[in-house]
Amino acid sequence: KPPPQVDVAISYSSLEHDGLGRYGDRLHPFGDVAAMAHLQTLLKPGGLLYLGVPVGADLLVFNLHRVYGPQRLPKLIQGWTLV
């Protein structure tokens, strides 16, 4: 059974940690991108995601977090419409 869908989702200071293993999750180099794809399945068509991630020069501080820059940010938001 598919999960219920919502009109709005909020992710603040979360996705940059996904897939790095710090909080017991398995190592997954694109865990953040996979989490964003999963969020799309949870939103109703036309739903909104309020997203907060660190932005700056691309950086990975293993196993703490990612900073999204010109290389990684487009991968994270691919398939999303910015409003």
Side-chain angles (χ1 to χ4, degrees), residues 10-81:
I10 300 169
S11 176
Y12 186 82
S13 190
S14 175
L15 290 173
E16 66 267 20
H17 305 286
D18 286 351
L20 299 180
R22 184 175 185 87
Y23 299 103
D25 54 327
R26 66 182 179 88
L27 293 179
H28 185 316
F30 289 96
D32 54 343
V33 176
M36 282 289 280
H38 180 68
L39 282 171
Q40 280 188 321
T41 70
L42 299 178
L43 285 172
K44 292 178 182 175
L48 294 174
L49 170 64
Y50 291 92
L51 177 65
V53 294
V55 175
D58 283 287
L59 178 68
L60 170 62
V61 181
F62 187 79
N63 68 350
L64 183 58
H65 68 271
R66 298 174 183 89
V67 176
Y68 295 90
Q71 297 296 314
R72 189 74 179 195
L73 186 59
K75 291 174 177 54
L76 186 70
I77 60 174
Q78 184 175 359
W80 291 83
T81 301

